[in-house]
């Protein structure tokens, strides 16, 4: 990640967080680098992978002291980076993966399944209900 002037810690870039990784979305891009989308209102449009399925601070945790923790985003970025390298060096070339590489791809796929908005809302509801049960 490059650091932009006026943002020495990279917080501006980290606030734009993908719910589906860009390295995954890029595999669906056309020759011009666009992904074609059908939205919930039946609109069809093209968009660059870096601008789709992005939300501000989707994974950011605000601590009690008000500071923002990017631990989840950083962890996902590391998982994505490892997967992207394996994809480029092996999967895209239809080469066999080592057991270690297979495990890393499995971690990426598990993270891919768990990082969606519906999953987050489900977890939020579960913890809200759990808290309510404990208070009762």
């Amino acid at each position: 990640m490059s650091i932009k002037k006026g943002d020495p810690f990279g917080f501006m870039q980290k606030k734009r967080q993908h719910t589906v990784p860009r390295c995954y979305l890029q595999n669906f891009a056309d020759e011009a680098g666009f992904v074609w989308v059908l939205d919930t209102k039946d609109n069809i449009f093209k968009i660059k992978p870096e601008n789709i399925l992005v939300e501000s601070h989707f994974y950011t945790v605000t601590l009690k002291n008000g500071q923002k923790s990017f631990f989840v985003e950083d962890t996902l970025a590391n998982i994505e980076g490892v997967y992207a390298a394996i994809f480029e060096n092996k999967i895209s070339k239809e080469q066999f993966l080592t057991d270690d590489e297979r495990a890393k791809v499995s971690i990426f796929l598990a993270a891919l399944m768990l990082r969606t908005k519906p999953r987050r809302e489900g977890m939020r509801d579960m913890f809200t209900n759990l808290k309510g049960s404990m208070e009762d």
Side-chain angles (χ1 to χ4, degrees):
M1 167 187 315
S2 63
I3 304 300
K4 294 184 178 177
K5 187 176 179 180
D7 186 23
F9 299 107
F11 292 146
M12 297 297 285
Q13 292 90 340
K14 284 188 180 183
K15 82 175 194 174
R16 286 181 39 90
Q17 300 168 356
H18 283 83
T19 58
V20 175
R22 186 171 50 188
C23 67
Y24 185 77
L25 292 169
Q26 288 171 336
N27 293 304
F28 298 94
D30 63 16
E31 299 80 27
F34 288 97
V35 175
W36 288 88
V37 175
L38 171 66
D39 70 12
T40 57
K41 297 177 184 169
D42 291 334
N43 297 311
I44 298 174
F45 58 94
K46 64 182 180 177
I47 190 168
K48 292 283 189 179
E50 58 266 19
N51 295 321
I52 187 172
L53 299 166
V54 175
E55 291 199 30
S56 290
H57 295 293
F58 188 76
Y59 305 109
T60 303
V61 176
T62 303
L63 306 174
K64 285 187 177 186
N65 64 6
Q67 286 185 307
K68 303 236 184 260
S69 170
F70 297 101
F71 180 79
V72 175
E73 174 67 12
D74 291 342
T75 300
L76 290 171
N78 287 334
I79 292 169
E80 291 165 23
V82 169
Y83 165 78
I86 293 169
F87 183 86
E88 185 173 327
N89 295 323
K90 290 276 196 87
I91 296 171
S92 69
K93 297 174 183 173
E94 299 182 17
Q95 295 180 356
F96 288 105
L97 303 182
T98 66
D99 287 343
D100 184 60
E101 290 166 334
R102 289 176 59 209
K104 289 173 180 173
V105 170
S106 296
I107 291 167
F108 172 79
L109 292 173
L112 190 65
M113 290 175 47
L114 296 174
R115 64 188 287 173
T116 65
K117 188 178 236 177
R119 179 60 122 170
R120 181 179 75 170
E121 296 306 320
M123 294 292 288
R124 181 177 285 147
D125 291 345
M126 181 189 72
F127 285 119
T128 299
N129 292 337
L130 179 61
K131 180 182 177 193
S133 296
M134 293 172 63
E135 291 173 347
D136 290 343

